[in-house]
Amino acid sequence: MRQSTVRIATVILLTCLFSRIVYGQTVLTISGEVTKPFSLQAADLKAMPHAEVVAKDKDGKNHTYAGVPLAELLKQAGTTTGAELRGKNLSKVVIVKATDGYEVVFALPEIDPEFTTRIILLADSVDGNPLAQGVGPYRIVVPDEKKPARWVRDVKAIEIRFASK
């Protein structure tokens, strides 16, 4: 009985390791009210132009985060931006989802460079180091907010929707 339990545990462990090797790249999806929904592998995000922001984290200290501006990701997905962001398009929201089910909402104009000078970042590093496990591999960083409640850890998906349906 005990030997079969060990075998089952070994098979499960090897399956997990194999799937981590083969499928281990983190995928980020962008979908919803966009013209070009897509998924990105870790290598795709790493190859994109990065920006840096300095922001105060929960520890009360300033840290330098690097990553891809959220506005750039939305632009690549064909999200309504710039001059098109008027009328009913102003009611679009961006929902950022974490692997643990946590979700936050941004109004699309909060992200669009024609409406704001603030850069909301999909960060992949902090102070020159990769994000810690459980925080990354991707984290939304929102500079200048009093509370980092919308700093989503372990981001897996970004969805654009109209606020009301």
Side-chain angles (χ1 to χ4, degrees):
M1 184 79 162
R2 183 177 174 176
Q3 194 173 19
S4 65
T5 304
V6 171
R7 282 187 196 150
I8 291 171
T10 303
V11 168
I12 291 171
L13 177 63
L14 289 174
T15 302
C16 290
L17 288 173
F18 177 74
S19 66
R20 183 91 175 141
I21 292 167
V22 175
Y23 305 107
Q25 290 221 358
T26 302
V27 176
L28 174 73
T29 61
I30 300 178
S31 63
E33 295 292 330
V34 297
T35 59
K36 298 176 273 185
F38 62 93
S39 295
L40 291 168
Q41 300 293 327
D44 300 326
L45 280 162
K46 194 136 196 93
M48 295 178 78
H50 278 49
E52 289 185 349
V53 297
V54 176
K56 194 172 287 192
D57 204 339
K58 284 184 180 180
D59 64 6
K61 298 177 184 175
N62 282 330
H63 296 278
T64 302
Y65 291 89
V68 180
L70 185 54
E72 182 58 33
L73 290 168
L74 297 179
K75 181 179 169 186
Q76 287 189 20
T79 304
T80 307
T81 59
E84 296 174 347
L85 194 49
R86 62 183 192 282
K88 70 176 186 171
N89 285 325
L90 287 171
S91 71
K92 286 183 179 174
V93 295
V94 177
I95 302 161
V96 180
K97 301 177 180 186
T99 57
D100 66 0
Y102 190 70
E103 296 181 1
V104 300
V105 175
F106 297 93
L108 193 50
E110 287 185 272
I111 300 165
D112 191 291
E114 290 194 24
F115 282 80
T116 183
T117 57
R118 174 173 66 179
I119 296 173
I120 297 175
L121 201 62
L122 180 70
D124 58 11
S125 69
V126 58
D127 299 328
N129 299 307
L131 297 171
Q133 187 173 3
V135 175
Y138 310 112
R139 182 182 194 185
I140 290 291
V141 174
V142 188
D144 302 326
E145 287 197 328
K146 289 183 179 183
K147 293 176 74 172
R150 295 196 297 176
W151 290 34
V152 181
R153 297 169 171 231
D154 208 7
V155 176
K156 71 169 184 172
I158 298 169
E159 184 179 342
I160 295 78
R161 288 192 234 167
F162 282 99
S164 60
K165 278 197 169 188

